Amino acid sequence: MLRWLMGRSAREREFEQALETLDARVWPPLLARHGFLRGLDAQETEALRRHTAWILANKSFHGAHGMRVTPEMRRSIAVQAALPILGLDTSLYRGWTQIVVYPGGFLVPRTETDEAGVVHEYVQETSGESWEGGPVILSWEDARPGTDTPSNVVIHEFAHKLDQRDGGADGMPGLRAHRDLDPHRWREVLDRTFDDFNDWLDEVESLIPPDVDPESDEAAGWYAELPLDPYAAHDPAEFFAVSSESFFIEPWAMAAAWPDWYELLVRYYRQDPLRRLEGAGVERPVRP
Ligand SMILES: [Zn+2]
């Protein structure tokens, strides 16, 4: 009991110290470096600062492949990770401690069973991983601010963390603290939107000429008309994670395509990035 209390007060001290480091010299430039944080009001900005400090105090950062994780990198990852829980409780990020940072994409062994029951083992390069009850693993090349894309690997992996709470990664985060959200409705809207996206993706892929490599830059123009990155079609858990990236970074296309899915995310995250960004004068980016 006493040790638990001592541990708790040590954590609180670490939190207070982390909060102090996010001072007037450090905090405003940190916000400015992450364009998607524009439009937060004073109360939201202070909540973000406290949640960022909580992450810095409660998570340990480790560099892999010789990477040195600087205080600035830690703050950048923490402030991005804090955004999804801005209107929620930090307890949603409890139950694990490590954030591992690679300099760039890293290789992960995968196993997949095809429809014929044949198991395929292969190695895949990825920019992020989130292990249930374990670490979040990030590629700094993809996580650092200023990469002008609608994707965000930090928000993606931390959305998986929210999804993994209360019954595994299935595209439905724990809704215990959301009495206004009906799990059946979540499932229904998620499944319908996920199916619609898969049909849309099939249609787009059928339009790409056979001599164009779907992985090439040339094919990007076809995929650009989709409201989400094609990776969202993988399964409902990835659909929720990729939707969360778009929700916070570039919500325009998703909100227009699926207003009811967007509205559910507004109610879950208790924030409306579309309204916030437009209120700050941010215009919908033009993609090729
Ligand atoms: Zn994912």
Side-chain angles (χ1 to χ4, degrees):
M1 178 72 178
L2 190 58
R3 187 177 298 185
W4 176 78
L5 271 175
M6 281 165 65
R8 201 171 108 119
S9 61
R11 270 280 174 255
E12 276 168 10
R13 260 202 315 279
E14 278 176 48
F15 167 74
E16 291 301 334
Q17 281 166 359
L19 197 58
E20 275 171 30
T21 65
L22 302 174
D23 58 16
R25 191 180 49 86
V26 166
W27 181 243
L30 181 67
L31 288 183
R33 271 193 292 281
H34 301 81
F36 52 90
L37 297 174
R38 274 174 288 182
L40 297 166
D41 66 25
Q43 200 183 350
E44 288 170 325
T45 304
E46 185 52 19
L48 188 73
R49 195 172 79 95
R50 294 185 73 83
H51 282 7
T52 303
W54 185 89
I55 292 167
L56 290 170
N58 285 274
K59 303 299 170 197
S60 59
F61 291 75
H62 306 269
H65 281 186
M67 182 92 192
R68 195 175 82 84
V69 187
T70 65
E72 179 52 37
M73 289 162 67
R74 279 200 286 271
R75 287 193 287 267
S76 172
I77 291 167
V79 77
Q80 295 182 67
L83 182 63
I85 56 160
L86 180 62
L88 306 172
D89 199 274
T90 49
S91 63
L92 292 171
Y93 284 166
R94 280 194 207 278
W96 58 278
T97 52
Q98 292 191 335
I99 298 174
V100 180
V101 188
Y102 280 81
F106 51 95
L107 299 173
V108 184
R110 303 261 188 232
T111 312
E112 229 162 72
T113 309
D114 67 18
E115 282 162 11
V118 180
V119 178
H120 300 266
E121 287 184 10
Y122 57 102
V123 175
Q124 190 184 40
E125 187 173 339
T126 183
S127 58
E129 282 265 288
S130 177
W131 296 1
E132 206 162 335
V136 165
I137 309 167
L138 299 165
S139 142
W140 177 244
E141 196 184 342
D142 299 278
R144 65 163 187 243
T147 52
D148 179 35
T149 68
S151 56
N152 183 297
V153 68
V154 181
I155 289 175
H156 182 105
E157 300 309 331
F158 279 79
H160 279 316
K161 282 291 178 199
L162 297 172
D163 187 7
Q164 286 159 4
R165 291 193 73 89
D166 294 352
D170 58 358
M172 183 155 77
L175 298 178
R176 261 186 271 179
H178 291 75
R179 296 224 175 128
D180 58 327
L181 282 176
D182 173 13
H184 298 290
R185 163 131 178 99
W186 186 283
R187 197 81 256 168
E188 187 264 314
V189 175
L190 170 62
D191 289 349
R192 173 160 45 81
T193 315
F194 177 69
D195 289 347
D196 183 55
F197 182 66
N198 273 278
D199 291 346
W200 200 337
L201 179 60
D202 287 346
E203 205 179 299
V204 162
E205 288 187 324
S206 73
L207 295 173
I208 300 176
D211 57 330
V212 173
D213 176 2
E215 304 277 317
S216 69
D217 288 347
E218 202 187 340
W222 276 279
Y223 290 113
E225 72 163 77
L226 292 166
L228 294 178
D229 186 281
Y231 189 62
H234 195 267
D235 60 33
E238 296 303 341
F239 189 78
F240 171 67
V242 176
S243 291
S244 297
E245 293 178 64
S246 287
F247 180 77
F248 288 109
I249 309 296
E250 270 189 38
W252 289 268
M254 189 178 63
W258 306 301
D260 49 357
W261 175 232
Y262 182 81
E263 181 58 29
L264 274 189
L265 294 177
V266 167
R267 286 165 64 193
Y268 173 69
Y269 284 116
R270 298 190 178 130
Q271 30 179 332
D272 186 346
L274 181 63
R275 208 178 59 183
R276 183 165 72 216
L277 291 168
E278 287 190 339
V282 180
E283 285 179 16
R284 180 179 182 163
V286 180
R287 297 278 166 208

